[in-house]
């Protein structure tokens, strides 16, 4: 038998005897984390499903949030929490029942600080494995306002300001249901008010001779959150108009003016 034929034969024998050497290895099979959740809601389960061979020992399970350790479990000792989940986490009894197959962190409530990347790692004296995924925690805006000011005799300055939304929202302006194409600013601008973040979008529009329905659409990227703030602008009103979702009194004034002019 030639050397080449012998090598091929040995390789085939090795594959038949051990077709998948890692099929029983200690490894993580899935990391289940909710992809998009709203701030202040819950409970939610974060689960790390894995397999550890019976002959292995020294099992340690760790979780990380944006590379910062937030959890450690060395069975049969109780898990330890720290960081953003400290005070919010619970550990179901099935963790102890299936310590060689799963680690579950139950968050009673999620906060905006919990948004980010999550990594689960398992390690024994013999092997280790890890996997990661992301969770987006979003917060709707606390206020949304539409401002209309005179720009010159023939044009108006239309501005929308949304405050408190996280992650940073996108804003679009609409006139009678049609999106404004030519914005004054090329992108949404951020306004820093310390801990509170506002974003603004502006456009110069024609000053029509008839009432106009003006809308500002607030959406948060990578989520299904979307809402529109609306006002009706009347060209006979020369003062700045403001519609605020945070002020029922201001909305009442707008609705009252609309009803009087119908």
């Amino acid at each position: 038998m030639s050397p080449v034929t012998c090598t091929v034969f040995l390789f085939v024998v090795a594959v038949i005897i051990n077709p998948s050497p890692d099929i029983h290895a200690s490894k993580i099979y899935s990391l289940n984390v909710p992809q998009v959740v709203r701030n202040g809601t819950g409970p939610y389960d974060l689960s790390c499903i894995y397999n550890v061979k019976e002959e292995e020992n020294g099992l340690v399970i760790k979780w990380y949030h944006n590379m910062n350790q937030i959890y450690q479990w060395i069975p049969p000792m109780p898990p330890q929490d720290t960081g953003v989940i400290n005070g919010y986490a619970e550990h179901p009894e099935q963790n102890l029942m299936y310590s060689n197959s799963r680690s579950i962190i139950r968050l009673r409530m999620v906060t905006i600080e919990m948004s980010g990347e999550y990594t689960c790692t398992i390690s024994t004296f013999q092997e280790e494995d890890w996997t990661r995924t992301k969770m987006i925690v979003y917060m709707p805006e606390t206020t949304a306002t539409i401002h209309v000011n005179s720009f010159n005799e023939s044009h108006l300055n239309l501005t929308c300001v949304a405050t408190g939304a996280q992650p940073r929202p996108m804003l679009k302006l609409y006139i009678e249901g049609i999106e404004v194409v030519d914005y004054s600013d090329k992108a949404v601008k951020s306004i820093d008010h310390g801990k509170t973040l506002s974003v603004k979008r502006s456009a110069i529009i024609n000053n029509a001779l008839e009432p106009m329905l003006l809308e500002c659409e607030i959406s948060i990227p990578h989520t299904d959150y979307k809402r529109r703030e609306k006002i009706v602008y009347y060209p006979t009103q020369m003062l700045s108009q403001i519609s605020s979702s945070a002020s029922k009194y201001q909305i009442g004034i707008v609705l009252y003016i609309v009803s009087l002019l119908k």
Side-chain angles (χ1 to χ4, degrees):
M1 183 181 294
S2 67
V4 174
T5 305
C6 183
T7 301
V8 173
F9 175 78
L10 291 175
F11 175 76
V12 172
V13 171
V15 170
I16 294 174
I17 294 175
N18 190 10
S20 182
D22 293 330
I23 193 169
H24 298 299
S26 296
K27 63 177 295 184
I28 296 174
Y29 290 103
S30 66
L31 180 59
N32 303 311
V33 172
Q35 299 299 300
V36 179
V37 292
R38 182 166 175 160
N39 177 65
T41 62
Y44 296 102
D45 282 354
L46 317 182
S47 62
C48 185
I49 309 302
Y50 53 87
N51 177 71
V52 176
K53 292 183 289 187
E54 292 183 1
E55 62 269 23
E56 292 194 18
N57 46 38
L59 175 62
V60 178
I61 303 102
K62 295 181 180 180
W63 286 73
Y64 295 84
H65 172 254
N66 294 336
M67 305 308 292
N68 297 313
Q69 184 175 322
I70 57 172
Y71 172 97
Q72 178 174 283
W73 184 29
I74 306 176
M77 298 174 62
Q80 296 178 332
D81 303 316
T82 187
V84 295
I85 69 169
N86 190 29
Y88 294 95
E90 297 176 345
H91 308 289
E93 292 184 0
Q94 59 257 47
N95 276 359
L96 295 176
M97 297 172 58
Y98 304 100
S99 60
N100 282 347
S101 64
R102 68 191 63 180
S103 168
I104 300 175
I105 303 174
R106 180 160 296 156
L107 299 175
R108 294 192 301 273
M109 182 179 73
V110 294
T111 66
I112 200 70
E113 292 78 16
M114 295 178 188
S115 190
E117 189 173 68
Y118 286 81
T119 304
C120 175
T121 71
I122 64 167
S123 62
T124 64
F125 293 147
Q126 293 81 17
E127 297 187 62
E128 63 180 358
D129 194 16
W130 63 271
T131 188
R132 63 171 54 123
T133 189
K134 290 184 178 180
M135 179 173 75
I136 297 175
V137 181
Y138 72 92
M139 178 186 298
E141 74 283 355
T142 53
T143 62
T145 59
I146 300 174
H147 303 259
V148 184
N149 300 89
S150 177
F151 182 74
N152 55 32
E153 291 184 358
S154 59
H155 290 80
L156 301 170
N157 184 26
L158 172 61
T159 301
C160 177
V161 178
T163 301
Q166 294 188 52
R168 182 174 135 162
M170 297 297 297
L171 304 181
K172 293 181 180 180
L173 299 173
Y174 292 82
I175 302 173
E176 295 294 334
I178 301 174
E179 184 185 355
V180 174
V181 177
D182 189 13
Y183 291 100
S184 303
D185 36 28
K186 299 301 181 184
V188 175
K189 291 185 176 180
S190 297
I191 308 170
D192 191 359
H193 299 294
K195 293 184 178 181
T196 304
L197 180 68
S198 295
V199 293
K200 180 178 74 171
R201 193 114 208 227
S202 300
I204 305 301
I205 64 174
N206 291 326
N207 190 353
L209 299 178
E210 297 180 354
M212 294 183 292
L213 173 63
L214 305 177
E215 299 175 276
C216 175
E217 183 181 270
I218 305 107
S219 61
I220 299 178
H222 308 298
T223 75
D224 59 0
Y225 180 79
K226 186 179 293 185
R227 193 185 70 82
R228 288 193 185 188
E229 182 70 11
K230 305 176 182 180
I231 67 167
V232 176
Y233 173 78
Y234 291 89
T236 54
Q237 296 174 265
M238 301 307 296
L239 297 176
S240 299
Q241 298 187 23
I242 299 177
S243 169
S244 172
S245 61
S247 172
K248 294 182 179 179
Y249 175 71
Q250 291 173 329
I251 294 176
I253 292 176
V254 174
L255 294 176
Y256 177 69
I257 293 173
V258 171
S259 64
L260 287 178
L261 294 173
K262 282 187 175 178

